[in-house]
Amino acid sequence: MKIICTKSDLVHAVSIVSKAVSNNTTLPILKCILIEASTGNIKLTANDMELWIETTIDGQIHQPGKIAIEAKLFSEIVRKLPENDVIITSDTNNSTQITCEKAKFSIMGQSGEDFP
């Protein structure tokens, strides 16, 4: 997956879906935000098995795909990025890179297919 979007759109979307992230769960995938890039839009989803929140943002999709990223870490990273375009890429091993200007973060995600 490879997407490009503005920092402000991403921060706003993450703050919306974070309300449905479960902190006390036995399923680690429920502590994640699912980022799904398909034809035409970038969708962020969070779910605690009772509440499901999903929002879409505008952006460029260079390579479609989906990845689940730990919500608290992802939220902290995107809030501290400079005001510019954010590039998020992930490979088949779920290794995810978040890049904005000179800032670059590499984190491990989880397969988007595992998200309930």
Side-chain angles (χ1 to χ4, degrees), residues 10-115:
L10 188 58
V11 167
H12 183 68
V14 168
S15 70
I16 291 171
V17 299
S18 289
K19 294 175 178 77
V21 173
S22 178
N23 291 325
N24 301 323
T25 181
T26 56
L27 293 172
I29 194 81
L30 294 180
K31 294 181 180 182
C32 295
I33 294 174
L34 178 69
I35 303 171
E36 197 169 3
S38 57
T39 55
N41 65 11
I42 301 166
K43 183 166 56 172
L44 280 78
T45 307
N47 172 8
D48 70 358
M49 299 306 266
E50 292 178 16
L51 177 64
W52 180 285
I53 299 178
E54 145 180 319
T55 187
T56 58
I57 58 174
D58 292 327
Q60 302 169 31
I61 300 169
H62 292 273
Q63 186 178 357
K66 56 183 166 180
I67 187 81
I69 300 175
E70 200 274 317
K72 186 176 179 183
L73 178 63
F74 185 57
S75 176
E76 289 176 12
I77 288 172
V78 296
R79 272 194 259 121
K80 293 182 179 175
L81 292 172
E83 286 295 331
N84 208 331
D85 286 346
V86 178
I87 303 167
I88 300 173
T89 58
S90 65
D91 61 21
T92 55
N93 297 327
N94 299 321
S95 176
T96 304
Q97 286 74 43
I98 303 166
T99 310
C100 184
E101 292 182 4
K102 293 181 181 179
K104 183 175 182 178
F105 296 88
S106 294
I107 58 175
M108 283 304 296
Q110 297 182 44
S111 172
E113 304 299 325
D114 296 340
F115 199 80

